[in-house]
Amino acid sequence: MSTTPLIVSDHAVALLSSVAWFAAGVTLALRRVRTALAALAAAVLVTLVRVVTVAMLAGRGWWFVQEKVLLGLPLLGAAATGAVLLAGPRLLAARRGRGDGGSAAGVVAVLTAAYAALAGFAVTFLGGYPLTPSTALITISLVCAGALLTARVVAPPARNAAAAGAARAPEDGREVSRRRFVAWTGGAVVATAAGAGTGLSLLSTPSVALGGGPGRSSRATASVAGLRFSGAPAPGGAVRRHVLTAKKATVRLASGREIDAWTYNGEVPGPAITATQGDLIEVRLRNADIEDSVTLHWHGYDVPCGDDGAPGVTQKDVGPGADFVYRFRADQVGTYWYHTHHASHVGVHKGLYGTLVVRPRDGRGTGDHLPAERTDLTLPVHTFEGTVVIADRDGRTVHDVSPGEPVRLRLINTDSVPHRIVLAGTPFRVAAVDGRDLNRPGEVEDVGLRLAAGGRYDLVFVMPDTPVALVVDDDRDGGLLLRPHADAGDARAEDTSGLPELDLLRYGAPAAVPFDARDADRHFTMVLDRGVAMVDGRPAYAQTVNGRGHPSIPDQLVAEGDIVRFTVVNRSLETHPWHLHGHAVLILSRDGTPATGSPLWVDTFDVRPGETWEVAFRAANPGIWMNHCHNLPHAHQGMMLRLRYDGVTTPFGGSHGASPGHGSTT
Ligand code: C2O
Ligand code: CU
């Protein structure tokens, strides 16, 4: 069973238990003996069930239950015990005809249990992991304040005691002052605790990297501004020069539909950048009229840090009229893409992206010659106003391919959500993931592929003499049709929605990897969730990492040469495609199950709700690198941090930098 149903049922049980405790409290106050007794029994029962759901969830990892085990359940347990002891005996007696079942203390105790149940629920939703002392203090004081207030209402200390419905002997002065004393001290304790909690949460500094390894001796300081490419193309390589001008344009799609886009050179996608391994790529970015500023980030390409395009970290953002030149050598072969990294949740969505494909320089083709596959299509998938556009076409695209011809389809997900990809009508191989070749990928057929936001798949096959359809998101009216001959007809694809998903963690053959991830020098855990946190100086219901939002998430500090391990835990109910700049990571395991197929090197891995992923990489590209969720609105809502090499500084953005996912628009 996956973890998500456990998370959801625990939420449901938690909610149910607060409802039951409130019902018990209210019916008890109204002296509805039978109903109150039933509600109380139900509340106790649901609370016990809650213990079970939390215990089951704990089996999936401490991150999923920490605040429940340390705060929510103990608080509720204490209050519930008090409630049962104070209210239970009188209720039972009343059922046997003795008394009216109620007492002020009983009502207060039962309602306090209700507050405790509700508070635990709120802590899970608003705070999450890790539980901080300040959250604990604030929660406990709020519950106590609730109890005190309830006590004042249910059993007023002074003369209107009778009006509260409880018949009791008139109180003497000593009794009244004793109650006052209790109320005042209680109030003072609550206020102090709440104040201390708030103070703690304001004072806690984000400067210490969570989970960092032992410190290393500091290296000489280097600025990212100096981490630029300064070499030449490899022998025999060419210089590939491009000018990309960011500008607004109305773009006409194949269907005739027009979209208001933000473009590079008036095109969507931007100009395709291609190179042969060893070429030098030099791109001058100009900004014509994007007031928001732009940059170019080479997604998945391990360029020198100063060419990475993260505004406020590796460069200044490029405003209207400004420009910036990127240079790097095309040493990595494969399928990549580029996009703006300034206010990227807006800019990429509106069209500021393009493809980058580097082909090998070997027997398979050199220079501008064709590679082994004569049909080699680069297919970025992007959604404009609800319409899926593949490459530059919406609707269905038809290509004629001769039977027997090798075909390569390079799929790129430029959206913020995953796409489901099906290749119908032929067996095929997934030759590469995120640009990196897989080891001995086997032939598969009738499977669906889930392509993470930002991710790429290279699919290869030999064209059969029957049509082949590329179906995206099981939409049989769109996608691509490859026809063996022009008269093969426009066969609609089969219904592909029922096809099982190929698990890439078990695909291809294992092979040696360049390091042993078991003796990592650094280990960072990132628990992804939603919660109340500061994002860019404002409180928000944020997308959080370890309870914090950008830029308050501590930097992850590494030293060059370190083996770094990430544990990424998704506590939320949304998918988080995790993306590290400047490095590919090796997938070690998902939910504790080791990856057993081809070594899987990716720059984006899709962490679905309830999942826990372990990945590792060697820190071999010094700089300050963004490390974020590639659901770009999530990054904008706080889910973004930096991996910083010891000794590397940035002149571009103070201690944390302007936020690459943010910018002036919100
Ligand atoms: Cu493709 Cu930081 O992103
Ligand atoms: Cu996300």
Side-chain angles (χ1 to χ4, degrees):
M1 177 158 135
S2 90
T3 307
T4 312
L6 287 179
I7 297 179
V8 173
S9 33
D10 184 61
H11 287 339
V13 174
L15 193 61
L16 204 63
S17 87
S18 35
V19 169
W21 281 110
F22 271 111
V26 171
T27 49
L28 182 61
L30 297 173
R31 303 294 187 266
R32 309 277 283 269
V33 174
R34 275 170 194 284
T35 327
L37 204 51
L40 188 66
V44 171
L45 192 70
V46 179
T47 303
L48 293 176
V49 172
R50 184 81 208 292
V51 174
V52 176
T53 59
V54 169
M56 286 174 73
L57 201 49
R60 303 305 166 100
W62 177 237
W63 316 285
F64 294 105
V65 295
Q66 188 219 27
E67 85 288 4
K68 309 173 208 276
V69 171
L70 294 186
L71 178 67
L73 282 186
L75 195 59
L76 177 56
T81 310
V84 168
L85 291 180
L86 283 172
R90 278 188 187 236
L91 272 174
L92 287 173
R95 228 186 79 181
R96 289 193 298 268
R98 279 187 286 122
D100 67 355
S103 72
V107 172
V108 172
V110 174
L111 283 175
T112 302
Y115 304 149
L118 193 62
F121 192 58
V123 165
T124 290
F125 268 89
L126 306 179
Y129 180 94
L131 176 69
T132 59
S134 48
T135 305
L137 273 175
I138 292 174
T139 310
I140 295 170
S141 44
L142 282 177
V143 171
C144 292
L148 280 173
L149 270 176
T150 311
R152 278 194 76 89
V153 173
V154 174
R159 53 198 169 283
N160 17 340
R168 61 171 71 89
E171 291 152 314
D172 61 14
R174 260 219 330 263
E175 174 66 1
V176 170
S177 61
R178 192 182 67 86
R179 282 179 177 237
R180 285 236 168 91
F181 175 76
V182 169
W184 279 107
T185 359
V189 168
V190 165
T192 315
T198 312
L200 267 176
S201 73
L202 291 178
L203 281 175
S204 60
T205 61
S207 56
V208 186
L210 291 177
R216 296 217 171 168
S217 59
S218 253
R219 295 160 9 101
T221 312
S223 162
V224 286
L227 296 171
R228 301 295 310 270
F229 181 80
S230 58
V239 180
R240 310 264 175 178
R241 288 203 175 81
H242 296 264
V243 176
L244 297 191
T245 303
K247 59 177 173 199
K248 295 177 185 158
T250 303
V251 175
R252 202 184 175 83
L253 298 174
S255 64
R257 177 159 170 206
E258 296 193 328
I259 49 171
D260 288 325
W262 289 2
T263 71
Y264 291 116
N265 295 4
E267 305 163 24
V268 162
I273 297 180
T274 58
T276 302
Q277 187 176 25
D279 287 352
L280 182 79
I281 295 178
E282 184 181 301
V283 180
R284 177 176 296 271
L285 168 69
R286 293 205 164 107
N287 182 355
D289 60 0
I290 309 292
E291 297 91 0
D292 237 16
S293 290
V294 293
T295 65
L296 282 176
H297 166 60
W298 310 95
H299 182 115
Y301 223 74
D302 303 342
V303 300
C305 190
D307 291 280
D308 190 51
V313 178
T314 70
Q315 67 171 99
K316 213 176 134 328
D317 59 278
V318 179
D323 68 354
F324 190 92
V325 180
Y326 299 86
R327 297 176 89 241
F328 58 93
R329 202 162 67 193
D331 289 324
Q332 283 164 255
V333 168
T335 307
Y336 299 88
W337 63 299
Y338 62 82
H339 61 81
T340 185
H341 215 284
H342 185 85
S344 54
H345 65 294
V346 179
V348 178
H349 182 67
K350 283 182 175 279
L352 287 172
Y353 69 92
T355 63
L356 167 64
V357 171
V358 178
R359 297 194 168 88
R361 177 186 300 279
D362 58 18
R364 302 215 290 144
T366 52
D368 283 323
H369 295 145
L370 290 169
E373 293 93 5
R374 288 209 28 235
T375 297
D376 182 339
L377 303 173
T378 304
L379 305 168
V381 178
H382 197 82
T383 307
F384 286 100
E385 294 154 23
T387 302
V388 171
V389 175
I390 301 180
D392 57 351
R393 307 182 69 89
D394 53 345
R396 169 170 260 210
T397 310
V398 180
H399 284 266
D400 290 327
V401 183
S402 319
E405 195 172 303
V407 179
R408 177 174 294 244
L409 304 180
R410 301 171 186 266
L411 289 150
I412 307 174
N413 184 352
T414 61
D415 280 324
S416 277
V417 292
H419 283 296
R420 178 174 155 91
I421 308 287
V422 173
L423 193 60
T426 180
F428 65 97
R429 296 171 204 274
V430 183
V433 172
D434 285 6
R436 286 99 180 161
D437 284 347
L438 297 188
N439 183 45
R440 307 218 320 263
E443 213 160 51
V444 290
E445 195 170 7
D446 294 330
V447 290
L449 295 166
R450 182 181 163 107
L451 182 54
R456 286 89 61 213
Y457 290 149
D458 283 27
L459 310 184
V460 301
F461 59 95
V462 172
M463 185 64 194
D465 52 14
T466 45
V468 172
L470 176 78
V471 183
V472 176
D473 299 334
D474 300 312
D475 172 16
R476 294 148 78 191
D477 300 323
L480 217 67
L481 181 76
L482 305 182
R483 291 187 308 188
H485 8 257
D487 54 2
D490 187 1
R492 258 169 66 102
E494 311 272 294
D495 179 5
T496 53
S497 58
L499 296 179
E501 192 178 305
L502 179 68
D503 184 2
L504 289 172
L505 270 64
R506 290 183 294 167
Y507 179 67
V513 294
F515 54 76
D516 185 349
R518 280 169 307 184
D519 31 67
D521 302 289
R522 314 269 171 163
H523 185 182
F524 299 101
T525 299
M526 289 175 270
V527 179
L528 314 180
D529 204 350
R530 292 210 73 163
V532 173
M534 298 297 280
V535 177
D536 291 314
R538 277 186 294 270
Y541 190 51
Q543 298 281 355
T544 58
V545 179
N546 300 335
R548 292 175 180 275
H550 175 86
S552 305
I553 305 166
D555 286 355
Q556 296 169 327
L557 265 179
V558 300
E560 191 172 354
D562 279 350
I563 305 301
V564 185
R565 186 167 172 153
F566 284 168
T567 301
V568 186
V569 183
N570 186 350
R571 257 181 67 121
S572 78
L573 298 175
E574 292 164 279
T575 291
H576 301 296
W578 200 259
H579 173 58
L580 171 65
H581 286 206
H583 310 72
V585 302
L586 175 68
I587 304 295
L588 304 176
S589 69
R590 180 187 55 221
D591 287 343
T593 309
T596 53
S598 160
L600 195 54
W601 293 91
V602 299
D603 45 68
T604 318
F605 51 100
D606 227 7
V607 188
R608 294 188 228 192
E611 284 183 348
T612 299
W613 290 62
E614 297 270 351
V615 306
F617 60 98
R618 186 188 292 281
N621 193 4
I624 304 177
W625 301 99
M626 301 312 299
N627 190 16
H628 63 93
C629 178
H630 216 283
N631 180 313
L632 298 173
H634 289 184
H636 173 68
Q637 290 161 53
M639 203 171 262
M640 173 161 57
L641 65 153
R642 313 189 307 180
L643 176 94
R644 186 158 65 82
Y645 280 61
D646 194 15
V648 179
T649 59
T650 174
F652 297 112
S655 66
H656 283 287
S659 45
H662 297 239
S664 47
T665 41
T666 41

